[in-house]
Amino acid sequence: MSLTTLDPRTALVVVDLQNGVVGLPGAPFPTTEVVERNVRLTDAFRAAGLPVVLVRVSFAGDGADVVPGRTERGPRNATPPAGWDQIVDALAGHPEDIVVTKRNWSAFYGTDLDLHLRRRGITQVVVTGVATSIGVDSTARAAHEHGYHVTLATDAMTDLDAEAHRNSVERIFPRLGETGTTDDVLKLLAAL
């Protein structure tokens, strides 16, 4: 469904735009473009007095809190480079933003994201970030399951695989909520 409205109490949820993720090649959009579009969105949400949630994935240095089970993640004792889990500088540094650290694909599972949103009376989320088919998709599904109106700015997200991005955008997201571009979201935000 195309983008029609934003609730007066909408939050922007930016998934995994952190140093270790944006250094990966994006498809179909380069991660540099995705960061630029998210800067436009975060600036507009902040100016409107609406919450910006910056989600990052991180694990303890010893890997003790890595999700158990058979996964493609690699060795449990591999140490990521220093600063890999820090929000990119272009988005960080705003004390009014909510920062959520997750250990799973979804920003909702095992975090206090839902509590932050409910305390602020949020009824809708605009979800962006990397990777479309993993963290963004999982977060959007959980937002839908939690009863939020879900909007996805499909040019403010990217994947490691263009086909995976396309599958989420064309097949999954229309079942969860509305989709549109960064400019579509900004127009509706300006009209609030």
Side-chain angles (χ1 to χ4, degrees):
M1 178 184 306
S2 61
L3 195 52
T4 62
T5 189
L6 288 180
D7 296 350
R9 297 303 307 155
T10 298
L12 177 65
V13 178
V14 180
V15 178
D16 297 348
L17 289 187
Q18 61 192 65
N19 295 331
V21 174
V22 299
L24 300 171
F29 306 111
T31 54
T32 53
E33 288 181 17
V34 169
V35 170
E36 290 168 6
R37 290 181 185 121
N38 275 277
V39 167
R40 291 176 54 213
L41 287 166
T42 56
D43 288 348
F45 270 77
R46 291 175 189 127
L50 294 173
V52 170
V53 180
L54 302 173
V55 179
R56 68 189 195 112
V57 62
S58 187
F59 303 100
D62 63 358
D65 58 356
V66 171
V67 179
R70 296 182 183 117
T71 67
E72 296 177 14
R73 189 170 190 299
R76 295 180 68 88
N77 58 0
T79 303
W84 76 277
D85 59 352
Q86 299 304 305
I87 302 294
V88 294
D89 289 343
L91 298 174
H94 299 270
E96 69 274 19
D97 290 351
I98 301 161
V99 177
V100 172
T101 300
K102 65 184 179 99
R103 311 267 190 262
N104 298 281
W105 287 3
S106 171
F108 282 90
Y109 184 81
T111 74
D112 57 358
L113 175 57
D114 186 52
L115 181 62
H116 281 294
L117 297 175
R118 299 236 183 254
R119 284 185 175 168
R120 290 162 176 81
I122 299 302
T123 56
Q124 183 172 11
V125 293
V126 175
V127 186
T128 66
V130 177
T132 306
S133 65
I134 301 174
V136 175
D137 188 310
S138 298
T139 299
R141 289 175 192 239
H144 180 267
E145 292 165 354
H146 280 79
Y148 294 100
H149 297 140
V150 178
T151 296
L152 298 123
T154 58
D155 65 344
M157 63 182 69
T158 197
D159 207 290
L160 302 175
D161 178 302
E163 180 58 27
H165 173 89
R166 188 190 67 72
N167 184 68
S168 290
V169 168
E170 293 179 8
R171 295 188 176 140
I172 305 301
F173 294 166
R175 300 188 68 156
L176 299 176
E178 297 185 335
T179 61
T181 66
T182 297
D183 287 340
D184 294 336
V185 172
L186 293 173
K187 284 179 194 170
L188 289 175
L189 189 57
L192 284 181

